[in-house]
């Protein structure tokens, strides 16, 4: 792969270079700390009540982070498509068991790095600290904005805002997962969509 | 102030040293990049529709980050007490106007650093990248957990979980702000508290 051409550059290097500058040689070494996972549709990458030790980066596909609510239903807390990172950050940081599942929505290619390898990587390549800091700053900032929409918009507005701002997700992710992510019932989302189409 | 004694150490240095190791000499220089603000009760540190250029660290007091909803009511999205950082991270990163207000709940002492000074600080003291990365990892991880509670618990459980896990907030923050932060009405929170006391 020609790492100097942004079109053929490795997706992780391209993403890193949006926030910092990383040489091809350093990136080749960085990449060795990751495992490349070919994940089947519906395959789990993380299970609740197990140690959270992995940090995932989506090369291709879509991941769903969810928990099982008291009624036994799956509730999505986060979705990740290309160039998104995903894990239970609290459990990863504390070396604890997670309360979440991570499941692939469709066949996917995912990079995975365990916590200890990531810590070593950060010591060797301090630029990666900046990369993760900036990525987390956006993720946390977006979560504050998400709370704003959850609290400030009507159910219909929540759905319309999401589809307007994240058209990639609307096309890629099954409707019942988008509904779950937005805290809506699938029936309600179907109703809004029918209204939009009519 | 004796920076070697954890009891008299500057609160920011103490917090930095929870995540990385910083010498007293380096910290003295770091501190010079911050302004110390003595903030009155109800004073605003950030206004919606203005450029978001500051990152705040609470030395003493409590900050409320909120927006005005379509009914004209204040809706709290985040609260910050001692050792918490607060800003609109998306707007700060993009150099854009914010949609949020930050207001002091009580008389407070707050450190403030502008975006450009923070970027310079991070170049000069790369350990601060690690500090902010770890702080943001916890903040983002906690926000995923918050969504879990919002979606997975009943209204009463949301309130009881919050007061059990954040007793400092319950004692310090007015009840109507905790209600707003949890997406509950003040009347509902009063009802739960009455039930608990009876």
């Amino acid at each position: 792969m020609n790492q100097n051409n942004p079109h053929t550059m490795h997706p992780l290097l391209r993403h890193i270079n949006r926030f910092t500058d990383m040489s091809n040689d350093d990136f080749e070494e960085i990449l060795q700390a990751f495992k490349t996972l070919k994940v089947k549709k519906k395959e789990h990458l993380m299970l609740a009540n197990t140690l959270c030790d992995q940090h995932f980066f989506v090369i291709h596909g879509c991941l769903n982070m969810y928990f099982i609510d008291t009624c036994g239903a799956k509730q999505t807390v986060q979705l990740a498509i290309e160039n998104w990172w995903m894990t239970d950050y609290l459990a990863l940081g504390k070396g604890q068991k997670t309360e979440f599942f991570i499941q692939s929505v469709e066949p996917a290619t995912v990079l995975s790095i365990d916590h200890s390898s990531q810590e070593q990587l950060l010591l060797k390549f301090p630029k990666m600290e900046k990369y993760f800091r900036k990525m987390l700053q956006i993720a946390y900032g977006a979560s504050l904005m998400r709370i704003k929409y959850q609290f400030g918009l009507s159910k219909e507005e929540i759905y319309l805002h999401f589809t307007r701002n994240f058209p990639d997700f609307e096309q890629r992710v099954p409707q019942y997962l988008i509904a779950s992510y937005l805290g809506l019932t699938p029936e309600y989302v179907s109703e809004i969509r029918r209204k939009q189409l009519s």
Side-chain angles (χ1 to χ4, degrees), chain A:
Chain A
M1 211 178 264
N2 178 356
Q3 302 291 21
N4 292 319
N5 179 342
H7 299 293
T8 57
M9 202 183 268
H10 189 286
L12 178 56
L13 179 57
R14 197 163 56 226
H15 200 244
I16 291 170
N17 280 338
R18 277 170 58 181
F19 302 101
T20 181
D21 58 308
M22 188 65 70
S23 73
N24 291 343
D25 288 349
D26 282 350
F27 179 70
E28 288 302 324
E29 200 177 330
I30 286 167
L31 198 57
Q32 287 174 28
F34 288 84
K35 285 183 193 155
T36 304
L37 311 176
K38 295 282 180 188
V39 191
K40 291 178 189 156
K41 184 175 175 174
K42 302 270 182 190
E43 191 176 328
H44 279 94
L45 292 173
M46 190 171 88
L47 296 172
N49 293 316
T50 64
L51 184 72
C52 174
D53 190 40
Q54 301 288 325
H55 197 189
F56 303 107
F57 178 79
V58 181
I59 299 283
H60 177 74
C62 176
L63 302 181
N64 172 25
M65 183 165 164
Y66 69 90
F67 66 97
I68 306 287
D69 71 14
T70 46
C71 306
K74 287 182 180 181
Q75 278 283 348
T76 294
V77 291
Q78 191 59 279
L79 295 165
I81 57 172
E82 286 75 21
N83 294 331
W84 288 58
W85 286 89
M86 182 175 263
T87 193
D88 175 350
Y89 287 96
L90 279 190
L92 187 76
K94 290 181 184 170
Q96 287 181 348
K97 288 184 178 179
T98 178
E99 298 175 26
F100 298 101
F101 298 82
I102 294 180
Q103 187 180 33
S104 189
V105 176
E106 55 189 34
T109 307
V110 174
L111 292 184
S112 167
I113 186 165
D114 66 77
H115 187 242
S116 142
S117 301
Q118 183 174 296
E119 290 296 307
Q120 286 170 38
L121 197 72
L122 289 163
L123 285 175
K124 186 150 192 195
F125 301 99
K127 279 182 185 175
M128 290 297 281
E129 287 283 6
K130 181 178 190 163
Y131 168 61
F132 281 123
R133 193 256 305 168
K134 293 213 164 189
M135 176 276 286
L136 287 163
Q137 194 166 314
I138 292 170
Y140 178 51
S143 80
L144 291 175
M145 202 55 88
R146 180 177 175 190
I147 293 166
K148 179 176 187 284
Y149 298 130
Q150 287 289 340
F151 283 0
L153 299 181
S154 70
K155 287 180 179 181
E156 184 165 351
E157 285 166 343
I158 287 173
Y159 178 76
L160 296 177
H161 180 272
F162 179 81
T163 54
R164 234 178 276 127
N165 286 273
F166 302 97
D168 294 353
F169 279 88
E170 198 204 2
Q171 284 172 11
R172 294 276 303 283
V173 183
Q175 203 172 299
Y176 74 94
L177 279 184
I178 292 179
S180 180
Y181 172 80
L182 297 174
L184 309 172
T185 64
E187 294 75 20
Y188 187 76
V189 167
S190 297
E191 200 182 305
I192 301 171
R193 285 172 67 110
R194 264 201 307 276
K195 225 170 83 178
Q196 273 189 295
L197 295 171
S198 66

